[in-house]
Amino acid sequence: MIERRRGQGIQTWRLGAGIALAMAAATAGAQAQTSPPATGGPLRAAGAAAVTFYGSPTSPISGGVAIPAGAAFVWTSGTVPPVAKADAPAGDIARFGDTKAQAAGVLKAIETQLAGQGLGMADVVYLRAYLVADPAKGAIDTDGWNAAYREVFGTTANPTKPARSTVGVSALVNPLWLIEIEAFAVYPSSKP
């Protein structure tokens, strides 16, 4: 069974058990941070009652996430940086900022999108970020991306450490954008 709700450019899906298990294996997701099983064996997603993060407890990123069967989730489209400095010339990178500033702006936009669906950044289980080289640095600024990420995830206010992929690409649609991010969030079991 798949249910689909649409609202504000976001789709919410409720999955049947088989699809949820396949998605948990193929993607990642979570609400409560836990350690991997002591035996080193696989997590039992079919019997899990809550989202389970696993991986190294010292890493700022989870190794993966097991999502319980039947969980509803939201997957955002790629979200791009907002204009940070409207008075900057149209072709100036300062219009959007460096990688850290752009990433912080994108994460704030994702937070706003999720709030419209009754979720928060603590409900994010997976992020995929696409980065291009910062012309000022001559390389992809993973330090800037990681700094913005660490201001939102793995903090005292939000201890969630989602699974994550960072992909280097040659270009994004706007040549001044340095990052685009997709987010996957799961409703806690007490929400629809």
Side-chain angles (χ1 to χ4, degrees):
M1 159 196 73
I2 298 178
E3 293 177 19
R4 186 169 104 183
R5 281 189 353 213
R6 293 178 152 243
Q8 298 180 351
I10 298 176
Q11 292 188 9
T12 303
W13 298 78
R14 182 173 298 279
L15 303 176
I19 295 171
L21 290 175
M23 286 296 295
T27 311
Q31 170 80 11
Q33 188 74 30
T34 64
S35 300
T39 62
L43 293 170
R44 295 178 3 150
V51 172
T52 306
F53 294 88
Y54 61 89
S56 170
T58 60
S59 175
I61 302 165
S62 289
V65 185
I67 301 170
F73 63 90
V74 172
W75 201 324
T76 69
S77 291
T79 304
V80 297
V83 172
K85 190 174 179 188
D87 60 343
D92 187 349
I93 194 86
R95 189 167 178 79
F96 295 95
D98 63 8
T99 300
K100 181 181 178 188
Q102 289 191 23
V106 172
L107 291 172
K108 188 66 177 162
I110 288 171
E111 181 178 31
T112 300
Q113 289 179 50
L114 293 176
Q117 300 301 312
L119 294 167
M121 296 304 265
D123 300 307
V124 173
V125 296
Y126 180 77
L127 295 168
R128 182 178 298 120
Y130 301 92
L131 278 79
V132 299
D134 180 336
K137 297 185 183 233
I140 292 174
D141 184 9
T142 54
D143 290 340
W145 161 223
N146 287 330
Y149 170 87
R150 286 186 175 118
E151 289 178 2
V152 177
F153 297 101
T155 66
T156 302
N158 177 16
T160 299
K161 299 187 302 184
R164 187 183 100 181
S165 297
T166 300
V167 182
V169 297
S170 62
L172 293 170
V173 173
N174 183 326
L176 300 178
W177 293 339
L178 302 175
I179 190 165
E180 181 173 336
I181 304 171
E182 300 169 352
F184 184 88
V186 175
Y187 283 95
S189 58
S190 62
K191 293 187 180 180

